[in-house]
Amino acid sequence: MKDVDSINVLKYEAVIGLEVHAQMLTDTKIFCGCSTKFGSEPNTQTCPVCLGMPGVLPVLNKKTLEFTIKTGLATNCKISSFSRFARKNYFYPDLPKGYQISQYELPICEYGYVEIVVNGETKKIGITRIHMEEDAGKNIHESASGGGGNYSFVDLNRAGVPLMEIVSEPDIRSPEEAVEYMKKLRTILRYLGVCDGNMEQGSLRCDANVSVRLAGQKEFGVKTEVKNLNSFKFVGKAIEYEIRRQIKVLEDGGKVIQETRLWDSERGITESMRTKEEAHDYRYFPEPDLVPIVVDQRWLDERRASLPELPDIKRKRFVSEYGLPEYDADLLTSEKSTAEFFEEAVKQGAHPKNTSNWIMIEGFKYEKEHGIAIHETPLKPIHLVSLSKLVETAVVSGTMAKSIIFEVMDTGKPPEEIVKEKGFIQISDTSEIEKAVDDVIAKHPKEFERFRAGEEKLIGFFVGQVMKMTKGKANPQMVNDLLKKKLF
Ligand SMILES: [Zn+2]
């Protein structure tokens, strides 16, 4: 598909809708008491209900209803006072009952939206519905897993694990918007504590409905569905590939076929899985073994009152209350635990912007290298308070503060102690700095002449040389001031 790049992609507009499956963080399954723990021995977390034995009766896990409703409230949905479950019939070895219990014509949440920010612009993505359903089991093919045999196995530990399906409106217009939408949902789900958002383990995954149309055209093009995308990267790449593939089909005079496609992450392409003719006819009908769900208004009000401060509100508050740039506020609030850690440090007296930088730069770097977040290291909010004071009183420079913070994350030693041990005391003695400045000027007479002649940007060079000579200990502001004095 190399020649796709040459096509005038700008003539087209993509229309994308996502169906996100989020596994709920309950201890037990949706219709029985079996554990939902990930990674156990196959078929050790099953019972007659989730094995689909004849004569058993499902009972709704109330927690799943509560989690779904909380998600609906947090995404501005209308919560249905009356909803019910439905049977979705299809035959597959990982589905012992021959049907999946889901919701169909009367879902629990409808008509919501979330806000995303792409290229500095805020956009609302509509949510059509959120419903509850049970997960299916898992087929393990011996040949695919390298066993070389002809057998397939079925692990039913996952059968009956509670899922929320969050269906968006076709409001998304680019792969970037799709990724931002997915990230926003993940953040909200994690804030609510209803899903761990672990995409590697499959607890958050999505199917993307993708179509293209000529820019300005009102009617939708024919859509395809790309199944089972389980990372932000794959969501972006698979959608981008699919948009270009469809444009190429149209530009070559062909027609896009309505079909289900699979993303092959190794080859970076989508491949046809089944066409519309082969599509399932699910023959939905109301689930007779479960009573309809009637949501009591008082219970709903209590759930609403128990919602935590949500990421969008927290982000706006961080800007107004702490004077942080939007960018900082957005990053800090993308994880609730990070936001709480920041706020705890600032409440105890740490400098907001410095703290934000330390978390976003040094903290995130540390997390990338060691796999643990700043608040999981021995570094406590109070350490950031001490560090703020050391910087504000010019005892240490910003550069020194950075190396101190790494050491605190490693050892948990108070910053003052590290300063003493390492001799990390900033030089603020004028005569000592002046001597260093004079030495540097003497070593670089040509540069100094150019500096004097008006080449102002050379000040950076001189400051750098002085810092080098003093091993980073000189107070940079004083170095700057002294250099300017030397001009006259
Ligand atoms: Zn069970």
Side-chain angles (χ1 to χ4, degrees):
M1 288 245 305
K2 269 178 191 149
D3 53 340
V4 177
D5 292 328
S6 62
I7 292 167
N8 189 1
V9 174
L10 294 173
K11 271 178 20 200
Y12 292 89
E13 177 182 62
V15 176
I16 302 153
L18 295 186
E19 289 170 17
V20 173
H21 283 96
Q23 183 183 321
M24 294 189 230
L25 260 183
T26 54
D27 295 330
T28 54
K29 294 185 180 179
I30 185 166
F31 301 122
C32 64
C34 292
S35 168
T36 54
K37 199 170 150 258
F38 180 83
S40 304
E41 281 288 302
N43 299 311
T44 54
Q45 291 164 187
T46 57
C47 73
V49 173
C50 55
L51 289 176
M53 297 290 183
V56 296
L57 284 175
V59 178
L60 178 65
N61 178 343
K62 197 174 177 186
K63 204 95 204 167
T64 64
L65 177 66
E66 183 172 351
F67 282 4
T68 311
I69 285 179
K70 276 186 165 184
T71 307
L73 291 170
T75 52
N76 310 292
C77 284
K78 180 184 160 287
I79 310 301
S80 313
S81 54
F82 182 90
S83 70
R84 69 176 162 216
F85 285 98
R87 286 190 183 178
K88 181 179 178 178
N89 296 278
Y90 65 96
F91 183 76
Y92 207 60
D94 62 10
L95 192 72
K97 290 195 296 287
Y99 60 85
Q100 177 193 27
I101 303 180
S102 180
Q103 292 194 291
Y104 186 54
E105 86 289 18
L106 292 172
I108 184 75
C109 311
E110 287 181 287
Y111 316 115
Y113 67 88
V114 294
E115 280 184 1
I116 57 165
V117 180
V118 176
N119 300 327
E121 273 180 46
T122 305
K123 180 174 175 178
K124 271 185 193 175
I125 306 294
I127 288 180
T128 316
R129 57 189 277 151
I130 304 177
H131 68 247
M132 296 172 273
E133 62 185 27
E134 58 178 344
D135 207 346
K138 209 176 186 173
N139 291 334
I140 301 153
H141 305 293
E142 204 183 23
S143 50
S145 59
N150 298 315
Y151 296 99
S152 286
F153 301 94
V154 185
D155 176 10
L156 293 168
N157 281 352
R158 208 178 61 184
V161 161
L163 298 178
M164 266 184 269
E165 181 170 330
I166 305 166
V167 182
S168 87
E169 288 288 299
D171 289 344
I172 301 165
R173 292 288 171 271
S174 68
E176 296 75 34
E177 287 184 11
V179 171
E180 281 312 308
Y181 167 77
M182 191 80 185
K183 281 186 175 167
K184 178 51 78 65
L185 275 188
R186 182 176 184 272
T187 299
I188 293 171
L189 293 169
R190 284 176 56 83
Y191 264 64
L192 297 171
V194 299
C195 169
D196 64 15
N198 189 328
M199 298 181 81
E200 272 167 36
Q201 290 181 3
S203 32
L204 188 68
R205 52 192 194 257
C206 90
D207 304 334
N209 288 300
V210 182
S211 66
V212 299
R213 62 182 172 194
L214 285 169
Q217 182 183 309
K218 268 209 167 135
E219 307 78 47
F220 291 137
V222 176
K223 69 177 179 187
T224 60
E225 186 183 18
V226 186
K227 282 282 195 194
N228 259 328
L229 302 167
N230 63 354
S231 79
F232 294 131
K233 198 172 122 194
F234 294 161
V235 169
K237 290 204 157 176
I239 292 174
E240 187 173 346
Y241 177 88
E242 191 52 24
I243 291 171
R244 287 177 169 263
R245 187 191 69 82
Q246 291 185 13
I247 291 175
K248 174 151 166 51
V249 167
L250 296 176
E251 284 285 305
D252 286 350
K255 277 188 179 154
V256 175
I257 305 164
Q258 185 172 346
E259 61 185 348
T260 303
R261 298 180 70 89
L262 272 182
W263 168 244
D264 182 334
S265 58
E266 289 199 352
R267 290 156 68 204
I269 60 169
T270 64
E271 277 186 311
S272 182
M273 190 173 128
R274 57 172 178 255
T275 56
K276 198 187 173 191
E277 288 75 49
E278 305 162 63
H280 294 298
D281 172 10
Y282 293 121
R283 293 178 296 121
Y284 282 99
F285 63 85
E287 166 60 61
D289 288 341
L290 285 159
V291 290
I293 302 156
V294 177
V295 178
D296 174 65
Q297 189 58 42
R298 217 180 69 190
W299 188 75
L300 181 61
D301 291 341
E302 282 167 18
R303 302 281 97 56
R304 197 189 297 273
S306 75
L307 288 181
E309 184 182 35
L310 292 162
D312 282 343
I313 297 167
K314 205 185 270 295
R315 189 187 76 230
K316 285 169 193 159
R317 186 169 63 75
F318 274 22
V319 172
S320 61
E321 200 169 325
Y322 303 118
L324 292 181
E326 277 281 344
Y327 176 84
D328 294 42
D330 192 36
L331 264 182
L332 291 177
T333 56
S334 64
E335 286 288 343
K336 192 173 165 208
S337 50
T338 310
E340 283 171 352
F341 182 75
F342 164 83
E343 200 152 29
E344 187 55 42
V346 171
K347 274 194 183 137
Q348 292 184 27
H351 184 275
K353 179 59 184 155
N354 285 347
T355 301
S356 163
N357 286 348
W358 291 328
I359 293 174
M360 292 191 310
I361 302 167
E362 283 72 35
F364 287 178
K365 189 174 173 208
Y366 195 89
E367 186 171 355
K368 216 173 172 187
E369 282 167 12
H370 303 272
I372 51 171
I374 187 167
H375 58 269
E376 294 161 334
T377 72
L379 185 143
K380 298 286 160 271
I382 192 70
H383 294 139
L384 298 180
V385 180
S386 319
L387 200 55
S388 290
K389 287 196 182 119
L390 290 169
V391 171
E392 277 161 40
T393 52
V395 173
V396 302
S397 66
T399 320
M400 289 177 202
K402 289 177 183 195
S403 48
I404 291 169
I405 203 163
F406 280 115
E407 185 151 353
V408 184
M409 286 191 276
D410 269 338
T411 64
K413 270 187 200 163
E416 300 89 334
E417 207 178 306
I418 297 169
V419 166
K420 266 189 211 154
E421 271 177 23
K422 302 256 158 133
F424 267 161
I425 302 276
Q426 178 163 257
I427 305 168
S428 295
D429 174 347
T430 318
S431 59
E432 208 173 323
I433 294 178
E434 191 157 14
K435 191 179 168 299
V437 169
D438 288 340
D439 285 353
V440 167
I441 290 173
K443 271 190 190 161
H444 304 279
K446 276 185 198 155
E447 284 83 357
F448 190 65
E449 271 319 304
R450 279 164 54 204
F451 179 44
R452 203 171 227 169
E455 213 174 309
E456 280 176 27
K457 66 173 197 277
L458 274 170
I459 195 158
F461 166 77
F462 283 105
V463 174
Q465 290 297 317
V466 174
M467 296 310 278
K468 205 168 152 191
M469 185 170 273
T470 58
K471 298 196 172 72
K473 290 183 189 171
N475 179 329
Q477 192 52 51
M478 292 179 71
V479 177
N480 262 288
D481 293 347
L482 277 167
L483 273 164
K484 281 180 190 151
K485 259 194 209 162
K486 296 282 171 192
L487 282 174
F488 309 106

